[in-house]
Amino acid sequence: MRYVRCYLTREQIDEKRRAMGDTSQAVAQKTVSDEVCLEVDHLRMSFPLYRGLMKRKVGEVHAVQDVSFTVHTGETLGIVGESGCGKSTLAKCIMRALAPAEGKIVYKGTDIARMKEKELKPIRSKITMIFQDPFSSLDPRQTAESIVGEPLKINHLVHSKEEYNARIDELFRLVGLNPAYRTRVPREFSGGQRQRLGIARALASDPDVIICDEPVSALDVSVQAQVINLLEELQAKLHVTYLFIAHDLSVVKHISDRVLVMYLGRVMELANAETLYENPLHPYTKALLSAVPISDPKVEAGRERIKLLGEVPSVLERPKGCPFCERCQYATDRCRTEVPALKDCGNGQSVACFLYE
Ligand code: SF4
């Protein structure tokens, strides 16, 4: 059986609820404010590479190279790329699980890139994460209540047992879980419900930014749309900002306001979601988009697939020039020696490719 993803627009969700006689709560409309919530400026992160018995340093892996972008409050920025492109390292730097080698991470006007652990403490509760795998990211021995309640206790956000219980109930309801399930352990929940627990935990400390690290890729296709729709609903209600990391462009398209495409640690293209899908510029973005399945079999049969040449280069043999030059059908000698800068092409679209100078 072939599943086709079905995402509902906000209007369709409203309509469905009305049809079911649910007049209790209108779905809030998402708003993106002018305020910049997060700014990443020329961020770099590399790891030393050791080999042999003596652990000799043989090189460096440049996981994130010169990455810059801004995200507005209430916005969703999709970050897309193949595995190993640096998106998870970027997320860890923003969470400050890693200290970046260079560059700035400005959260609400303050650079947190070089902050000490003590200074970071109040910020940790404001930038949280939803993990990829709801099966391994939850402690199998903890009850659902203690999983969701942990950030409340760590950050001293509740001051009495009553307040704690009321907040747990509220968080369970927010993510569509029955508060009566609070004493259950993770194995008693389905995959989708476990990810809802993960979402409730990320929401517990009332964050401004949530980094969603491939939050639906470990779920059944039939459940993915429910989780995506829930994330959208929560964003509209709570005005939270998302960085949504994925390798699947069809998921990112639905939820993102803008999309950033990464390859070998660098930004290849950044554009509004609509512009990117209607008019991709970078050869890598075009190739990724040509691999996204389309539900209409006629359109699917008639469209051109762009095959990428070769494989992703090894971490030790990264190209000197454009990171994509070994797989690009338009590569010239210049592409093999010079790194193209990210250039503004107008209409909110920037691309790092010599074809658009
Ligand atoms: Fe291809 Fe050159 Fe553009 Fe890189 S800069 S994507 S190699 S044409």
Side-chain angles (χ1 to χ4, degrees):
M1 182 191 281
R2 188 167 176 228
Y3 289 104
V4 175
R5 285 192 182 85
C6 169
Y7 299 111
L8 301 179
T9 62
R10 194 133 312 286
E11 291 72 30
Q12 286 169 323
I13 293 171
D14 278 341
E15 208 173 288
K16 267 196 147 209
R17 287 193 163 177
R18 277 195 295 274
M20 289 162 71
D22 179 1
T23 51
S24 56
Q25 60 183 117
V27 177
Q29 290 296 316
K30 166 180 169 143
T31 49
V32 177
S33 95
D34 290 339
E35 178 201 55
V36 172
C37 182
L38 188 73
E39 183 182 354
V40 170
D41 188 25
H42 297 289
L43 200 78
R44 286 178 188 273
M45 183 68 204
S46 19
F47 302 99
L49 207 65
Y50 300 103
R51 282 253 170 93
L53 272 178
M54 305 301 288
K55 296 267 179 247
R56 197 167 49 90
K57 187 177 167 189
V58 289
E60 278 203 325
V61 180
H62 301 289
V64 175
Q65 297 190 70
D66 206 16
V67 170
S68 299
F69 60 85
T70 54
V71 200
H72 292 253
T73 301
E75 189 184 18
T76 300
L77 178 73
I79 301 178
V80 185
E82 289 165 290
S83 136
C85 75
K87 45 193 199 306
S88 292
T89 305
L90 175 64
K92 283 178 190 157
C93 288
I94 296 170
M95 291 282 299
R96 278 302 319 272
L98 291 172
E102 278 177 48
K104 290 182 185 169
I105 301 163
V106 182
Y107 163 69
K108 297 214 158 176
T110 309
D111 184 8
I112 62 167
R114 256 148 275 292
M115 269 189 180
K116 301 258 175 344
E117 194 52 48
K118 207 172 160 192
E119 298 169 290
L120 275 173
K121 219 177 165 205
I123 289 159
R124 292 218 179 275
S125 63
K126 291 294 166 193
I127 305 177
T128 60
M129 197 163 195
I130 299 167
F131 295 92
Q132 177 177 8
D133 189 351
F135 301 90
S136 62
S137 66
L138 305 178
D139 184 339
R141 294 156 304 176
Q142 271 189 301
T143 61
E145 175 193 314
S146 63
I147 288 168
V148 175
E150 207 167 30
L152 297 176
K153 288 182 178 167
I154 291 173
N155 297 299
H156 309 289
L157 299 174
V158 285
H159 305 100
S160 65
K161 187 71 187 159
E162 292 72 38
E163 213 184 318
Y164 174 81
N165 284 333
R167 182 70 175 137
I168 295 284
D169 282 1
E170 185 189 20
L171 286 163
F172 269 61
R173 286 200 190 94
L174 258 180
V175 299
L177 286 175
N178 186 342
Y181 297 166
R182 55 199 290 162
T183 53
R184 293 187 178 185
V185 289
R187 68 166 185 280
E188 295 176 278
F189 291 95
S190 67
Q193 285 174 326
R194 282 184 227 192
Q195 195 53 301
R196 284 172 192 264
L197 276 181
I199 296 170
R201 178 175 59 183
L203 288 173
S205 55
D206 198 15
D208 294 319
V209 180
I210 301 183
I211 300 176
C212 311
D213 188 7
E214 307 242 15
V216 295
S217 59
L219 301 175
D220 286 351
V221 175
S222 55
V223 183
Q224 290 185 355
Q226 293 169 17
V227 173
I228 293 285
N229 288 333
L230 170 68
L231 287 171
E232 287 207 298
E233 249 180 71
L234 291 168
Q235 184 174 50
K237 261 186 211 164
L238 307 171
H239 206 42
V240 69
T241 305
Y242 290 145
L243 292 187
F244 194 98
I245 296 172
H247 61 269
D248 185 337
L249 271 157
S250 55
V251 174
V252 170
K253 179 184 182 182
H254 182 76
I255 195 168
S256 304
D257 297 294
R258 288 183 302 141
V259 179
L260 181 144
V261 180
M262 284 184 80
Y263 185 75
L264 294 189
R266 286 189 185 272
V267 178
M268 300 287 102
E269 188 161 1
L270 174 63
N272 296 324
E274 221 178 293
T275 311
L276 191 99
Y277 286 84
E278 293 300 317
N279 182 32
L281 295 180
H282 199 283
Y284 179 57
T285 316
K286 288 181 184 173
L288 284 182
L289 277 172
S290 81
V292 171
I294 295 176
S295 52
D296 184 340
K298 276 188 195 157
V299 182
E300 174 77 32
R303 80 186 170 135
E304 188 201 352
R305 277 268 160 92
I306 302 171
K307 264 190 112 181
L308 287 173
L309 309 172
E311 298 288 325
V312 178
S314 126
V315 287
L316 283 175
E317 287 160 20
R318 298 263 158 113
K320 281 196 184 73
C322 170
F324 192 55
C325 68
E326 288 176 3
R327 305 178 80 191
C328 178
Q329 53 180 314
Y330 309 105
T332 62
D333 288 345
R334 185 185 177 197
C335 302
R336 292 182 190 94
T337 51
E338 267 183 60
V339 180
L342 195 67
K343 286 248 164 76
D344 186 352
C345 298
N347 200 21
Q349 190 166 20
S350 304
V351 64
C353 175
F354 293 130
L355 294 175
Y356 301 95
E357 277 192 330

